[in-house]
Amino acid sequence: MKKFTPLLLPILALAACGEEPAPEPVETVAPEPVVELAAPDQALFTELLANACPNAEPVNTAICRRAMGSDEALCEYGLGEDEFLRNDATIAVDDTGENWMIVDAEAVCAQ
C-alpha cells in the first residue's frame, strides 16, 4: 500500500486543479413554429370550390394528389350527379402559408 500512495497524491492533485470554469450560457432563439397544412381531400376541395364558385354545382367526388414537399396539389373532381372525375383544378398554399386556395379560380369556375 505504501508504494501506491506516492503515485496517488499527484494524480489527485492534478484532478482537483484541472477544473475549468463553466462556459457562459449561450442565448438561443426559439425556432419558428412550422405550420402543417391538412392534406387536401374531398371535403377541403368541396369547401374551396363552393367559396370560389358559388354558382357551380356541388362537388360529388374529388381526388387531390400532392407531390412530396410541393406547395401545390392537382385535384380531379366531378360535379352534381356526375360520379366521374371530368374536371380538374390546381390548389396551392396561400400567401400566409396557412390555407389552401384554388389557383386561377376564374378558369375553374368556367369549366
Side-chain angles (χ1 to χ4, degrees):
M1 195 71 166
K2 290 186 179 184
K3 291 182 181 180
F4 293 111
T5 305
L7 294 174
L8 287 177
L9 288 177
I11 292 173
L12 291 175
L14 285 174
C17 294
E19 291 184 29
E20 295 181 19
E24 302 234 354
V26 177
E27 189 173 317
T28 58
V29 177
E32 291 185 25
V34 176
V35 177
E36 292 282 333
L37 286 176
D41 59 4
Q42 182 173 335
L44 174 72
F45 183 75
T46 301
E47 180 182 338
L48 290 174
L49 190 68
N51 291 337
C53 310
N55 296 331
E57 293 184 59
V59 174
N60 181 29
T61 184
I63 295 175
C64 296
R65 294 180 182 95
R66 179 181 180 193
M68 189 180 300
S70 175
D71 289 341
E72 291 186 346
L74 177 65
C75 297
E76 297 175 306
Y77 60 98
L79 297 174
E81 299 291 322
D82 193 1
E83 60 187 45
F84 298 103
L85 305 172
R86 298 184 196 275
N87 305 301
D88 58 17
T90 301
I91 62 172
V93 178
D94 68 2
D95 294 336
T96 65
E98 297 178 359
N99 298 305
W100 290 101
M101 65 177 198
I102 295 179
V103 176
D104 197 11
E106 289 180 20
V108 172
C109 293
Q111 288 185 2

XYZ file of all heavy atoms in Angstrom:
821
model
N 0.813 -1.186 0.000
C 0.000 0.000 0.000
C 0.859 1.253 0.000
O 0.471 2.252 -0.558
C -0.917 -0.080 1.208
C -2.040 0.854 1.186
S -3.191 0.309 -0.064
C -4.543 1.262 0.354
N 2.003 1.219 0.595
C 2.871 2.393 0.647
C 3.414 2.750 -0.731
O 3.687 3.894 -1.003
C 4.022 2.149 1.615
C 3.571 2.120 3.044
C 4.752 2.016 3.947
C 4.286 2.015 5.387
N 5.358 2.004 6.341
N 3.536 1.776 -1.626
C 4.062 2.060 -2.946
C 3.030 2.841 -3.794
O 3.403 3.642 -4.625
C 4.415 0.762 -3.674
C 5.589 0.061 -3.070
C 5.897 -1.160 -3.881
C 7.073 -1.892 -3.257
N 7.422 -3.087 -3.983
N 1.779 2.612 -3.559
C 0.746 3.282 -4.350
C 0.439 4.695 -3.850
O -0.010 5.528 -4.595
C -0.547 2.463 -4.354
C -0.401 1.162 -5.089
C -0.424 -0.046 -4.418
C -0.225 1.160 -6.459
C -0.292 -1.232 -5.104
C -0.101 -0.027 -7.146
C -0.130 -1.235 -6.479
N 0.685 4.970 -2.591
C 0.356 6.262 -2.008
C 1.098 7.402 -2.691
O 0.487 8.418 -3.018
C 0.627 6.260 -0.493
O -0.081 5.185 0.086
C 0.186 7.550 0.141
N 2.397 7.315 -2.961
C 3.066 8.442 -3.623
C 2.547 8.673 -5.041
O 2.555 9.796 -5.532
C 4.532 8.024 -3.657
C 4.692 6.980 -2.627
C 3.349 6.334 -2.469
N 2.069 7.643 -5.704
C 1.552 7.825 -7.052
C 0.154 8.454 -7.069
O -0.208 9.185 -7.983
C 1.504 6.485 -7.787
C 2.861 5.843 -8.083
C 2.637 4.460 -8.677
C 3.670 6.700 -9.018
N -0.616 8.174 -6.047
C -1.989 8.692 -5.998
C -2.044 10.175 -5.671
O -2.927 10.882 -6.156
C -2.806 7.916 -4.972
C -3.197 6.501 -5.363
C -3.929 5.831 -4.218
C -4.063 6.493 -6.590
N -1.131 10.680 -4.879
C -1.178 12.091 -4.480
C -1.047 13.029 -5.685
O -1.835 13.979 -5.804
C -0.093 12.369 -3.434
C -0.380 11.770 -2.061
C 0.787 12.029 -1.128
C -1.646 12.338 -1.478
N -0.091 12.833 -6.602
C -0.017 13.762 -7.739
C -1.244 13.674 -8.652
O -1.693 14.678 -9.204
C 1.239 13.330 -8.493
C 2.024 12.508 -7.544
C 1.055 11.952 -6.552
N -1.781 12.477 -8.804
C -2.970 12.322 -9.658
C -4.156 13.045 -9.044
O -4.901 13.750 -9.742
C -3.273 10.827 -9.882
C -2.161 10.209 -10.730
C -4.621 10.645 -10.560
C -2.257 8.715 -10.877
N -4.344 12.898 -7.745
C -5.447 13.593 -7.077
C -5.248 15.105 -7.108
O -6.207 15.861 -7.268
C -5.584 13.103 -5.636
C -6.073 11.662 -5.462
C -6.036 11.269 -3.998
C -7.464 11.509 -6.019
N -4.041 15.555 -6.996
C -3.758 16.989 -7.034
C -4.071 17.553 -8.425
O -4.634 18.647 -8.553
C -2.308 17.251 -6.662
N -3.701 16.818 -9.475
C -3.989 17.278 -10.824
C -5.493 17.290 -11.102
O -6.015 18.191 -11.765
C -3.284 16.393 -11.853
C -1.780 16.610 -11.986
C -1.200 15.567 -12.920
C -1.490 17.997 -12.498
N -6.183 16.297 -10.613
C -7.624 16.225 -10.827
C -8.336 17.378 -10.141
O -9.283 17.949 -10.679
C -8.162 14.891 -10.333
N -7.886 17.762 -8.968
C -8.522 18.852 -8.236
C -8.218 20.197 -8.871
O -9.046 21.102 -8.862
C -8.056 18.833 -6.777
N -7.054 20.363 -9.437
C -6.659 21.645 -10.024
C -7.143 21.804 -11.457
O -7.143 22.897 -11.988
C -5.136 21.768 -10.015
S -4.463 21.863 -8.353
N -7.540 20.745 -12.108
C -7.872 20.809 -13.526
C -9.280 21.280 -13.836
O -9.702 21.240 -14.978
N -10.027 21.751 -12.885
C -11.386 22.191 -13.153
C -11.383 23.523 -13.886
O -10.693 24.458 -13.515
C -12.174 22.327 -11.851
C -12.460 21.004 -11.197
C -13.336 21.161 -9.965
O -14.137 22.110 -9.928
O -13.207 20.334 -9.068
N -12.169 23.592 -14.963
C -12.293 24.821 -15.734
C -13.630 25.463 -15.407
O -14.583 24.786 -15.048
C -12.228 24.503 -17.223
C -10.906 23.942 -17.665
C -10.892 23.678 -19.149
O -11.734 24.228 -19.879
O -10.020 22.914 -19.570
N -13.700 26.775 -15.554
C -14.999 27.417 -15.294
C -16.019 26.983 -16.358
O -15.665 26.697 -17.492
C -14.698 28.915 -15.399
C -13.417 29.011 -16.149
C -12.668 27.727 -15.910
N -17.240 26.938 -15.947
C -18.307 26.536 -16.868
C -18.440 27.580 -17.968
O -18.250 28.778 -17.727
C -19.629 26.404 -16.121
N -18.734 27.159 -19.198
C -18.895 28.138 -20.279
C -20.120 29.015 -20.035
O -21.084 28.613 -19.397
C -19.094 27.270 -21.524
C -19.546 25.957 -21.012
C -18.963 25.799 -19.648
N -20.026 30.234 -20.546
C -21.135 31.168 -20.382
C -22.345 30.643 -21.141
O -22.204 30.074 -22.224
C -20.729 32.526 -20.929
C -19.502 33.078 -20.257
C -19.724 34.453 -19.709
O -20.790 35.018 -19.954
O -18.835 34.934 -19.030
N -23.540 30.789 -20.611
C -24.726 30.307 -21.324
C -24.910 31.076 -22.636
O -24.722 32.283 -22.704
C -25.881 30.580 -20.362
C -25.352 31.505 -19.331
C -23.862 31.402 -19.346
N -25.262 30.326 -23.658
C -25.488 30.912 -24.974
C -26.974 31.171 -25.134
O -27.798 30.301 -24.890
C -24.990 29.945 -26.081
C -25.282 30.522 -27.445
C -23.520 29.658 -25.901
N -27.295 32.389 -25.546
C -28.703 32.734 -25.729
C -29.210 32.070 -27.010
O -28.630 32.224 -28.079
C -28.847 34.247 -25.845
C -30.281 34.700 -25.815
C -30.377 36.207 -25.752
O -29.631 36.829 -25.002
O -31.222 36.736 -26.473
N -30.280 31.315 -26.883
C -30.824 30.615 -28.039
C -32.117 31.282 -28.484
O -32.854 31.847 -27.685
C -31.113 29.136 -27.710
O -32.032 29.084 -26.624
C -29.839 28.397 -27.345
N -32.359 31.207 -29.763
C -33.583 31.762 -30.330
C -34.562 30.614 -30.521
O -34.206 29.561 -31.047
C -33.287 32.435 -31.689
C -34.555 32.955 -32.319
C -32.263 33.539 -31.509
N -35.776 30.813 -30.092
C -36.797 29.772 -30.236
C -37.097 29.566 -31.717
O -37.241 30.532 -32.470
C -38.071 30.161 -29.496
N -37.176 28.313 -32.164
C -37.474 28.080 -33.578
C -38.896 28.517 -33.910
O -39.795 28.463 -33.079
C -37.327 26.570 -33.725
C -37.523 26.025 -32.355
C -37.039 27.090 -31.407
N -39.069 28.976 -35.154
C -40.397 29.378 -35.594
C -41.276 28.144 -35.736
O -40.818 27.113 -36.223
C -40.322 30.087 -36.938
C -39.660 31.435 -36.870
C -39.704 32.158 -38.200
O -40.598 31.867 -39.012
O -38.847 33.017 -38.407
N -42.511 28.227 -35.300
C -43.385 27.063 -35.430
C -43.659 26.758 -36.907
O -43.835 27.661 -37.715
C -44.667 27.469 -34.703
C -44.632 28.961 -34.678
C -43.178 29.364 -34.702
N -43.684 25.481 -37.221
C -43.949 25.039 -38.587
C -45.438 24.752 -38.707
O -46.003 23.993 -37.922
C -43.135 23.777 -38.926
C -43.489 23.265 -40.303
C -41.652 24.069 -38.809
N -46.072 25.382 -39.675
C -47.499 25.182 -39.891
C -47.675 23.942 -40.768
O -47.124 23.853 -41.849
C -48.137 26.406 -40.568
C -49.604 26.147 -40.861
C -47.974 27.630 -39.699
N -48.394 22.992 -40.266
C -48.681 21.770 -41.018
C -50.072 21.900 -41.629
O -51.061 22.002 -40.922
C -48.651 20.548 -40.093
C -47.281 20.221 -39.559
C -46.412 19.519 -40.582
O -46.959 18.848 -41.479
O -45.195 19.659 -40.489
N -50.130 21.943 -42.942
C -51.422 22.009 -43.617
C -52.034 20.621 -43.687
O -51.326 19.625 -43.845
C -51.254 22.528 -45.036
C -50.976 24.014 -45.183
C -50.745 24.356 -46.642
C -52.119 24.820 -44.633
N -53.334 20.589 -43.589
C -54.038 19.320 -43.753
C -53.877 18.856 -45.192
O -53.804 19.659 -46.119
C -55.515 19.501 -43.423
N -53.792 17.561 -45.367
C -53.701 17.020 -46.721
C -54.977 17.361 -47.471
O -56.075 17.252 -46.932
C -53.512 15.511 -46.665
N -54.847 17.810 -48.704
C -56.056 18.156 -49.452
C -56.888 16.908 -49.742
O -56.376 15.906 -50.225
C -55.513 18.783 -50.738
C -54.109 18.320 -50.855
C -53.630 18.026 -49.473
N -58.159 16.967 -49.408
C -59.062 15.839 -49.634
C -60.371 16.360 -50.224
O -60.503 17.541 -50.540
C -59.295 15.056 -48.341
C -59.889 15.907 -47.230
O -60.191 17.091 -47.459
O -60.058 15.379 -46.122
N -61.337 15.468 -50.374
C -62.606 15.852 -50.991
C -63.322 16.928 -50.192
O -63.865 17.875 -50.773
C -63.508 14.623 -51.155
C -64.824 14.954 -51.834
C -65.648 13.733 -52.164
O -65.101 12.657 -52.319
N -66.948 13.900 -52.268
N -63.341 16.815 -48.892
C -64.045 17.800 -48.065
C -63.417 19.188 -48.215
O -64.129 20.191 -48.358
C -64.030 17.363 -46.604
N -62.101 19.253 -48.190
C -61.418 20.532 -48.343
C -61.676 21.120 -49.727
O -62.017 22.302 -49.864
C -59.912 20.368 -48.124
C -59.085 21.620 -48.407
C -59.306 22.657 -47.328
C -57.618 21.278 -48.524
N -61.549 20.297 -50.764
C -61.762 20.800 -52.112
C -63.203 21.247 -52.314
O -63.461 22.266 -52.963
C -61.377 19.761 -53.167
C -61.516 20.303 -54.552
C -60.588 21.198 -55.054
C -62.604 19.963 -55.342
C -60.731 21.739 -56.321
C -62.754 20.493 -56.607
C -61.812 21.384 -57.104
N -64.162 20.517 -51.766
C -65.578 20.895 -51.859
C -65.790 22.288 -51.273
O -66.478 23.129 -51.859
C -66.463 19.861 -51.133
O -66.258 18.588 -51.742
C -67.922 20.233 -51.182
N -65.185 22.542 -50.137
C -65.312 23.846 -49.484
C -64.638 24.943 -50.315
O -65.196 26.027 -50.497
C -64.690 23.796 -48.089
C -64.775 25.090 -47.327
C -64.111 25.004 -45.960
O -63.952 23.896 -45.433
O -63.734 26.075 -45.447
N -63.438 24.655 -50.830
C -62.733 25.648 -51.643
C -63.522 26.006 -52.896
O -63.644 27.182 -53.260
C -61.343 25.126 -52.039
C -60.308 25.016 -50.933
C -59.044 24.358 -51.471
C -59.999 26.374 -50.341
N -64.065 25.004 -53.578
C -64.821 25.261 -54.806
C -66.125 26.002 -54.504
O -66.513 26.905 -55.245
C -65.109 23.959 -55.544
C -65.686 24.136 -56.950
C -64.621 24.747 -57.868
C -66.165 22.837 -57.517
N -66.789 25.653 -53.419
C -68.031 26.344 -53.054
C -67.766 27.817 -52.755
O -68.572 28.686 -53.109
C -68.673 25.664 -51.848
N -66.628 28.119 -52.116
C -66.292 29.517 -51.819
C -65.873 30.277 -53.070
O -66.212 31.450 -53.232
C -65.177 29.593 -50.774
C -65.636 29.130 -49.414
O -66.819 29.140 -49.110
N -64.704 28.700 -48.592
N -65.131 29.619 -53.966
C -64.631 30.291 -55.173
C -65.712 30.413 -56.251
O -65.740 31.401 -56.986
C -63.423 29.541 -55.727
N -66.572 29.411 -56.346
C -67.601 29.370 -57.407
C -68.970 29.113 -56.774
O -69.477 27.987 -56.810
C -67.281 28.263 -58.407
S -65.602 28.263 -59.029
N -69.595 30.124 -56.226
C -70.865 29.903 -55.527
C -71.995 29.426 -56.444
O -72.940 28.803 -55.976
C -71.191 31.261 -54.898
C -70.328 32.247 -55.583
C -69.161 31.515 -56.148
N -71.907 29.667 -57.745
C -72.962 29.251 -58.670
C -72.738 27.863 -59.250
O -73.588 27.358 -59.984
C -73.084 30.264 -59.814
C -73.519 31.630 -59.315
O -74.207 31.736 -58.311
N -73.090 32.673 -59.993
N -71.619 27.241 -58.952
C -71.314 25.918 -59.503
C -72.108 24.842 -58.761
O -72.523 25.022 -57.609
C -69.826 25.628 -59.380
N -72.315 23.727 -59.435
C -72.958 22.591 -58.783
C -72.037 22.081 -57.670
O -70.819 22.256 -57.740
C -73.190 21.463 -59.797
C -74.203 21.796 -60.872
C -74.449 20.595 -61.766
O -74.874 19.548 -61.245
O -74.184 20.726 -62.974
N -72.590 21.414 -56.665
C -71.740 20.902 -55.580
C -70.849 19.758 -56.080
O -71.197 19.028 -56.993
C -72.734 20.417 -54.532
C -74.022 20.253 -55.251
C -74.008 21.182 -56.417
N -69.710 19.607 -55.424
C -68.765 18.544 -55.766
C -69.347 17.217 -55.316
O -69.786 17.062 -54.163
C -67.399 18.794 -55.088
C -66.467 17.626 -55.304
C -66.789 20.081 -55.612
N -69.367 16.255 -56.221
C -69.860 14.919 -55.906
C -68.713 14.008 -55.483
O -68.823 13.242 -54.541
C -70.582 14.319 -57.121
C -71.129 12.947 -56.840
O -71.472 12.620 -55.715
N -71.203 12.112 -57.864
N -67.609 14.096 -56.201
C -66.443 13.271 -55.904
C -65.188 14.061 -56.253
O -65.206 14.879 -57.173
C -66.480 11.936 -56.673
O -65.372 11.136 -56.275
C -66.464 12.135 -58.173
N -64.115 13.848 -55.503
C -62.865 14.557 -55.769
C -61.694 13.753 -55.234
O -61.805 13.078 -54.208
C -62.885 15.939 -55.124
N -60.596 13.843 -55.963
C -59.334 13.237 -55.526
C -58.251 14.280 -55.742
O -58.122 14.832 -56.834
C -59.003 11.968 -56.332
C -60.040 10.888 -56.076
C -57.610 11.460 -55.983
C -59.847 9.645 -56.923
N -57.477 14.545 -54.707
C -56.381 15.508 -54.805
C -55.065 14.777 -54.600
O -54.935 13.978 -53.673
C -56.538 16.612 -53.769
S -58.016 17.623 -53.995
N -54.113 15.082 -55.475
C -52.788 14.459 -55.393
C -51.746 15.555 -55.219
O -51.738 16.536 -55.958
C -52.499 13.664 -56.661
C -53.405 12.475 -56.815
C -53.076 11.720 -58.111
N -53.981 10.607 -58.294
C -55.082 10.650 -59.022
N -55.421 11.763 -59.634
N -55.842 9.585 -59.144
N -50.841 15.322 -54.277
C -49.796 16.298 -53.981
C -48.448 15.592 -53.968
O -48.281 14.568 -53.301
C -50.070 16.921 -52.611
C -49.046 17.921 -52.168
C -49.417 18.438 -50.791
N -48.458 19.397 -50.312
C -48.397 19.821 -49.071
N -49.263 19.355 -48.176
N -47.499 20.687 -48.695
N -47.487 16.134 -54.707
C -46.136 15.578 -54.685
C -45.493 15.912 -53.341
O -45.804 16.934 -52.723
C -45.305 16.167 -55.816
N -44.612 15.044 -52.882
C -43.984 15.221 -51.582
C -43.256 16.570 -51.509
O -42.406 16.862 -52.343
C -42.998 14.091 -51.314
C -42.476 14.096 -49.892
S -41.311 12.769 -49.556
C -42.266 11.330 -49.888
N -43.616 17.376 -50.538
C -42.974 18.664 -50.326
C -43.459 19.784 -51.224
O -42.997 20.915 -51.116
N -44.391 19.514 -52.099
C -44.884 20.529 -53.037
C -45.877 21.461 -52.354
O -46.595 21.068 -51.433
C -45.553 19.846 -54.233
O -46.123 20.812 -55.089
N -45.917 22.695 -52.839
C -46.889 23.662 -52.336
C -48.162 23.658 -53.165
O -49.033 24.493 -52.968
C -46.292 25.070 -52.340
C -45.234 25.243 -51.271
O -45.212 24.451 -50.324
O -44.429 26.189 -51.384
N -48.263 22.754 -54.124
C -49.440 22.659 -54.977
C -49.952 21.220 -55.001
O -49.203 20.285 -54.752
C -49.115 23.086 -56.410
C -48.819 24.554 -56.552
C -48.647 24.958 -58.003
O -48.493 24.076 -58.873
O -48.669 26.170 -58.260
N -51.232 21.088 -55.316
C -51.849 19.765 -55.471
C -52.800 19.840 -56.660
O -53.416 20.882 -56.922
C -52.604 19.368 -54.212
N -52.924 18.747 -57.389
C -53.850 18.656 -58.513
C -55.083 17.898 -58.038
O -54.967 16.795 -57.497
C -53.210 17.928 -59.695
C -54.130 17.715 -60.891
C -54.524 19.054 -61.506
C -53.468 16.835 -61.919
N -56.234 18.498 -58.215
C -57.487 17.876 -57.813
C -58.324 17.588 -59.053
O -58.524 18.467 -59.886
C -58.267 18.786 -56.869
S -57.421 19.107 -55.315
N -58.810 16.360 -59.157
C -59.752 15.971 -60.200
C -61.084 15.766 -59.503
O -61.136 15.182 -58.415
C -59.279 14.703 -60.891
C -57.948 14.885 -61.611
C -57.431 13.596 -62.198
O -57.317 12.606 -61.451
O -57.160 13.588 -63.405
N -62.168 16.228 -60.150
C -63.450 16.187 -59.451
C -64.614 16.054 -60.430
O -64.494 16.312 -61.624
C -63.635 17.438 -58.590
C -63.621 18.735 -59.361
C -64.808 19.351 -59.726
C -62.413 19.350 -59.717
C -64.796 20.537 -60.434
C -62.404 20.537 -60.424
C -63.599 21.134 -60.776
O -63.599 22.303 -61.473
N -65.737 15.633 -59.871
C -66.984 15.551 -60.601
C -68.025 16.391 -59.892
O -68.052 16.451 -58.662
N -68.895 17.029 -60.648
C -69.909 17.919 -60.072
C -71.304 17.314 -60.180
O -71.592 16.537 -61.095
C -69.895 19.258 -60.805
C -68.604 20.067 -60.705
C -68.692 21.297 -61.603
C -68.330 20.465 -59.272
N -72.171 17.705 -59.267
C -73.580 17.294 -59.302
C -73.737 15.787 -59.263
O -73.207 15.110 -58.402
N -74.484 15.254 -60.220
C -74.763 13.817 -60.292
C -73.610 13.030 -60.915
O -73.613 11.807 -60.904
C -76.041 13.581 -61.112
C -77.282 14.218 -60.519
C -77.718 13.538 -59.227
O -77.612 12.301 -59.138
O -78.144 14.264 -58.307
N -72.648 13.730 -61.487
C -71.547 13.086 -62.200
C -70.600 12.405 -61.209
O -70.057 13.050 -60.319
C -70.780 14.120 -63.024
C -69.843 13.493 -64.025
O -69.788 12.250 -64.109
O -69.155 14.249 -64.735
N -70.412 11.094 -61.365
C -69.511 10.366 -60.473
C -68.116 10.209 -61.069
O -67.232 9.625 -60.459
C -70.084 8.987 -60.143
C -70.302 8.121 -61.359
C -71.020 6.824 -61.035
O -72.024 6.868 -60.289
O -70.570 5.796 -61.534
N -67.916 10.742 -62.282
C -66.622 10.650 -62.951
C -65.805 11.920 -62.708
O -66.357 13.001 -62.522
C -66.812 10.421 -64.457
C -67.513 9.135 -64.753
C -68.855 9.132 -65.113
C -66.847 7.927 -64.639
C -69.510 7.944 -65.377
C -67.500 6.731 -64.892
C -68.837 6.736 -65.259
N -64.487 11.779 -62.721
C -63.581 12.896 -62.479
C -63.308 13.621 -63.799
O -62.263 13.482 -64.411
C -62.273 12.380 -61.859
C -62.441 11.545 -60.581
C -61.127 10.930 -60.167
C -63.020 12.389 -59.471
N -64.277 14.411 -64.252
C -64.187 15.062 -65.562
C -63.484 16.415 -65.505
O -63.061 16.945 -66.526
C -65.583 15.260 -66.144
C -66.314 13.968 -66.381
C -67.655 14.242 -67.060
N -68.541 13.099 -66.977
C -68.532 12.089 -67.830
N -67.676 12.075 -68.820
N -69.381 11.084 -67.687
N -63.393 17.020 -64.359
C -62.824 18.360 -64.219
C -61.539 18.289 -63.394
O -61.335 17.350 -62.615
C -63.823 19.290 -63.525
C -65.152 19.321 -64.236
O -65.229 19.662 -65.399
N -66.209 18.907 -63.547
N -60.709 19.312 -63.559
C -59.507 19.361 -62.721
C -59.205 20.805 -62.334
O -59.639 21.757 -62.982
C -58.301 18.727 -63.407
C -57.941 19.366 -64.732
O -58.389 20.486 -64.991
O -57.209 18.741 -65.493
N -58.505 20.933 -61.229
C -58.110 22.243 -60.716
C -56.818 22.070 -59.929
O -56.560 21.003 -59.359
C -59.200 22.818 -59.814
N -56.038 23.115 -59.891
C -54.817 23.125 -59.085
C -55.086 23.968 -57.855
O -55.628 25.079 -57.961
C -53.640 23.717 -59.883
O -53.444 22.931 -61.063
C -52.366 23.704 -59.063
N -54.724 23.446 -56.709
C -54.810 24.224 -55.473
C -53.388 24.437 -54.964
O -52.503 23.627 -55.211
C -55.715 23.565 -54.410
C -55.189 22.197 -53.978
C -57.140 23.448 -54.907
C -55.947 21.599 -52.806
N -53.186 25.552 -54.276
C -51.855 25.898 -53.780
C -51.977 26.507 -52.392
O -53.054 26.953 -51.981
C -51.195 26.887 -54.731
N -50.855 26.542 -51.708
C -50.790 27.172 -50.392
C -50.868 28.680 -50.605
O -50.203 29.229 -51.491
C -49.477 26.791 -49.684
C -49.362 27.478 -48.337
C -49.383 25.278 -49.527
N -51.691 29.357 -49.816
C -51.846 30.806 -49.989
C -50.626 31.560 -49.448
O -49.666 30.963 -48.962
C -53.149 31.300 -49.355
C -53.146 31.198 -47.833
O -52.135 30.780 -47.245
O -54.171 31.538 -47.232
N -50.660 32.885 -49.542
C -49.519 33.718 -49.158
C -49.180 33.615 -47.676
O -48.023 33.793 -47.295
C -49.793 35.182 -49.513
C -49.884 35.386 -51.018
O -49.311 34.562 -51.755
O -50.528 36.367 -51.449
N -50.157 33.343 -46.835
C -49.885 33.227 -45.400
C -49.239 31.893 -45.057
O -48.631 31.754 -44.006
C -51.185 33.365 -44.577
O -52.043 32.255 -44.874
C -51.891 34.674 -44.866
N -49.397 30.910 -45.948
C -48.837 29.584 -45.696
C -49.687 28.744 -44.767
O -49.265 27.695 -44.303
N -50.909 29.198 -44.485
C -51.758 28.502 -43.524
C -53.003 27.870 -44.140
O -53.706 27.128 -43.466
C -52.177 29.471 -42.418
C -51.006 29.992 -41.615
C -51.417 30.992 -40.549
O -52.626 31.305 -40.450
O -50.535 31.467 -39.832
N -53.305 28.182 -45.399
C -54.531 27.680 -46.020
C -54.272 27.301 -47.475
O -53.290 27.715 -48.080
C -55.626 28.763 -45.979
C -55.995 29.151 -44.580
O -56.349 28.316 -43.778
N -55.894 30.432 -44.282
N -55.215 26.536 -48.021
C -55.192 26.195 -49.438
C -56.083 27.175 -50.183
O -57.042 27.722 -49.626
C -55.727 24.782 -49.642
C -54.839 23.701 -49.147
C -54.973 23.012 -47.983
C -53.688 23.168 -49.793
N -53.965 22.082 -47.869
C -53.166 22.159 -48.972
C -53.041 23.451 -50.988
C -52.030 21.433 -49.310
C -51.915 22.718 -51.328
C -51.426 21.726 -50.485
N -55.784 27.395 -51.475
C -56.631 28.220 -52.332
C -56.606 27.633 -53.734
O -55.668 26.933 -54.116
C -56.141 29.659 -52.369
C -54.786 29.820 -53.014
S -54.356 31.548 -53.087
C -53.077 31.487 -54.329
N -57.649 27.902 -54.505
C -57.717 27.436 -55.885
C -56.913 28.397 -56.761
O -57.106 29.611 -56.697
C -59.170 27.341 -56.375
C -59.914 26.259 -55.580
C -59.228 27.043 -57.861
C -61.364 26.094 -55.962
N -56.005 27.842 -57.550
C -55.219 28.643 -58.488
C -56.091 28.917 -59.706
O -56.716 28.002 -60.242
C -53.933 27.882 -58.887
C -53.151 28.658 -59.942
C -53.073 27.604 -57.671
N -56.128 30.149 -60.139
C -56.910 30.580 -61.293
C -58.375 30.159 -61.145
O -58.938 29.398 -61.942
C -56.314 30.025 -62.597
C -56.817 30.757 -63.813
O -57.455 31.822 -63.661
O -56.584 30.252 -64.927
N -59.001 30.687 -60.107
C -60.390 30.335 -59.801
C -61.353 30.682 -60.937
O -62.335 29.968 -61.152
C -60.825 31.001 -58.512
N -61.095 31.745 -61.672
C -61.995 32.127 -62.770
C -62.052 31.038 -63.822
O -63.136 30.700 -64.320
C -61.528 33.431 -63.400
C -61.750 34.640 -62.520
C -61.262 35.921 -63.177
O -61.110 35.961 -64.413
O -61.047 36.892 -62.439
N -60.911 30.475 -64.189
C -60.882 29.405 -65.192
C -61.564 28.137 -64.662
O -62.244 27.434 -65.402
C -59.442 29.097 -65.602
N -61.383 27.853 -63.397
C -62.013 26.668 -62.805
C -63.529 26.845 -62.780
O -64.267 25.913 -63.092
C -61.451 26.405 -61.382
C -62.229 25.316 -60.676
C -59.970 26.041 -61.463
N -63.998 28.006 -62.421
C -65.440 28.245 -62.366
C -66.078 28.193 -63.761
O -67.250 27.874 -63.890
C -65.724 29.593 -61.722
S -65.283 29.666 -59.965
N -65.302 28.506 -64.791
C -65.821 28.498 -66.147
C -65.969 27.068 -66.696
O -66.637 26.889 -67.717
C -64.905 29.309 -67.061
N -65.379 26.082 -66.070
C -65.448 24.699 -66.573
C -66.857 24.172 -66.488
O -67.612 24.377 -65.651
C -64.534 23.769 -65.763
C -63.088 23.989 -66.041
C -62.212 22.966 -65.300
O -62.685 22.067 -64.612
N -60.921 23.125 -65.446
